[in-house]
Amino acid sequence: MFRLNLKIALRNLWKYKGYTLINILGLSIGMASCILIFVFISYQMSYDKGFKNKERIYRVVTHWKYNAFDDFSSGVPIPFIPAARNELAGIEKIAPMVKRWGIVHVKDQSGKEVIKKQTDIYYTEPSFFDIFNINWQFGQPLQALQEPNTAALSVSRAISYFGSAKNAIGKSITLGTKINLKITGVFDDVAANTSFPLNIVISYKTLQEGSTDCWDCVNSSSNGYVLLKEGFDKASLESSLAKFNKKYYHDRKISGNQNNQLQPLEGSILMSVMIILLKQASVNIRSMA
């Protein structure tokens, strides 16, 4: 019976070649799409899972609640980090992380330019490497990124620029046309599926951020990360954070009922996607009104 049914099926497939082709192509495209979606979602959900203290690491985000809509940003105001460091209880480490883009120039010993390439760069403080437990091959972040115009490279970037990680120490690169950066450290490569695939990290003191007292100046590329103390969870920090928000937003009458909230590191990528969708939805609602 099975062989008979198979012969009939093959005969019909051969008789209606066009219909058969359309069905096979449709099935193939559907299966390929499902596989690609599964791979994409699996990769996105794997973000930021390789850090030692990930359950105690939080990203600080900014939230606004207007009468007609809500708004969100993954960034924090410029003065948030120094204020939170002194006023929020339960924080073991806190650090800013600012992403920028720039053209990096690398010269050989004779002064001839051998590399000129646009790349992502990050500005941060030494405590960032303690929060995420990133190992250094050469140098120590506490000393290496303490002064302005100093920078550290990932192992792969150091090899790309100077031939070896060790050889990069003491060398210089130029950011743009004016900023000369001395290489004072080399750290282990960070996995690609992180919120910050670091290759070039520049001392935070090098960055010119503008007004240091502007609490409603928020840029999504200016992030803040905190490591909570052992035994101190997010809920324990809520009351302290509520007082902080009142002091710097409500009492100063910052528009939009602005406040800062803590976002678990492992949920930051998914939340970023949701923020984008919410923003788009609010734009659509306003345009329809």
Side-chain angles (χ1 to χ4, degrees):
M1 180 63 71
F2 174 77
R3 295 181 61 185
L4 177 61
N5 289 334
L6 180 61
K7 286 181 180 181
I8 294 172
L10 291 175
R11 188 179 297 121
N12 287 330
L13 290 175
W14 183 254
K15 182 177 180 180
Y16 302 102
K17 299 183 183 66
Y19 183 76
T20 300
L21 179 62
I22 291 173
N23 277 277
I24 292 175
L25 284 176
L27 179 62
S28 301
I29 293 172
M31 292 179 65
S33 298
C34 289
I35 293 171
L36 288 174
I37 292 171
F38 174 77
V39 171
F40 174 78
I41 293 176
S42 296
Y43 181 76
Q44 295 298 323
M45 296 300 290
S46 70
Y47 264 64
D48 298 326
K49 291 186 178 295
F51 297 111
K52 181 179 179 180
N53 298 313
K54 60 182 182 295
E55 71 283 351
R56 292 195 289 133
I57 300 175
Y58 290 82
R59 182 172 73 174
V60 185
V61 297
T62 304
H63 173 262
W64 294 266
K65 188 173 183 63
Y66 295 93
N67 291 331
F69 65 96
D70 292 356
D71 202 1
F72 305 86
S73 175
S74 59
V76 293
I78 297 169
F80 174 84
I81 298 296
R85 180 180 287 121
N86 295 324
E87 298 185 34
L88 288 182
I91 293 179
E92 182 175 321
K93 298 282 184 179
I94 184 170
M97 170 57 73
V98 179
K99 182 180 181 180
R100 294 285 187 267
W101 293 267
I103 297 177
V104 172
H105 305 261
V106 182
K107 298 180 179 179
D108 60 16
Q109 293 182 350
S110 65
K112 179 183 177 182
E113 186 173 85
V114 292
I115 295 175
K116 179 182 178 181
K117 186 176 182 181
Q118 183 171 348
T119 186
D120 296 342
I121 54 177
Y122 294 84
Y123 296 85
T124 192
E125 296 176 344
S127 55
F128 177 86
F129 292 90
D130 292 331
I131 292 174
F132 291 94
N133 197 36
I134 299 174
N135 183 55
W136 280 46
Q137 296 288 335
F138 299 97
Q140 295 292 331
L142 190 60
Q143 292 80 34
L145 295 178
Q146 197 63 252
E147 299 299 325
N149 297 334
T150 55
L153 303 176
S154 66
V155 170
S156 59
R157 190 58 60 94
I159 294 172
S160 173
Y161 286 174
F162 301 106
S164 72
K166 185 176 181 180
N167 195 41
I169 300 299
K171 299 293 195 304
S172 294
I173 60 176
T174 303
L175 178 62
T177 58
K178 297 180 180 179
I179 304 176
N180 292 316
L181 302 168
K182 182 180 179 181
I183 306 304
T184 52
V186 176
F187 55 87
D188 287 345
D189 288 344
V190 179
N193 56 339
T194 67
S195 302
F196 31 81
L198 307 178
N199 283 302
I200 302 177
V201 178
I202 303 173
S203 64
Y204 192 71
K205 292 181 180 178
T206 310
L207 182 65
Q208 301 297 321
E209 277 279 74
S211 173
T212 58
D213 194 43
C214 183
W215 283 90
D216 54 353
C217 298
V218 181
N219 188 311
S220 61
S221 63
S222 299
N223 303 134
Y225 291 91
V226 300
L227 174 67
L228 300 187
K229 294 179 180 178
E230 289 276 7
F232 206 96
D233 59 15
K234 178 184 175 183
S236 303
L237 189 59
E238 293 296 339
S239 60
S240 179
L241 189 57
K243 294 178 182 178
F244 182 92
N245 285 326
K246 181 179 184 302
K247 176 180 178 180
Y248 288 104
Y249 299 116
H250 180 74
D251 291 352
R252 292 179 179 227
K253 296 180 173 58
I254 302 295
S255 63
N257 293 313
Q258 182 176 332
N259 64 78
N260 292 119
Q261 301 174 3
L262 295 180
Q263 181 186 97
L265 176 68
E266 291 184 282
S268 62
I269 292 297
L270 183 59
M271 183 61 69
S272 297
V273 174
M274 293 176 64
I275 288 172
I276 293 172
L277 294 175
L278 286 169
K279 284 185 175 181
Q280 186 59 49
S282 60
V283 170
N284 293 338
I285 291 171
R286 290 199 299 271
S287 64
M288 294 170 62

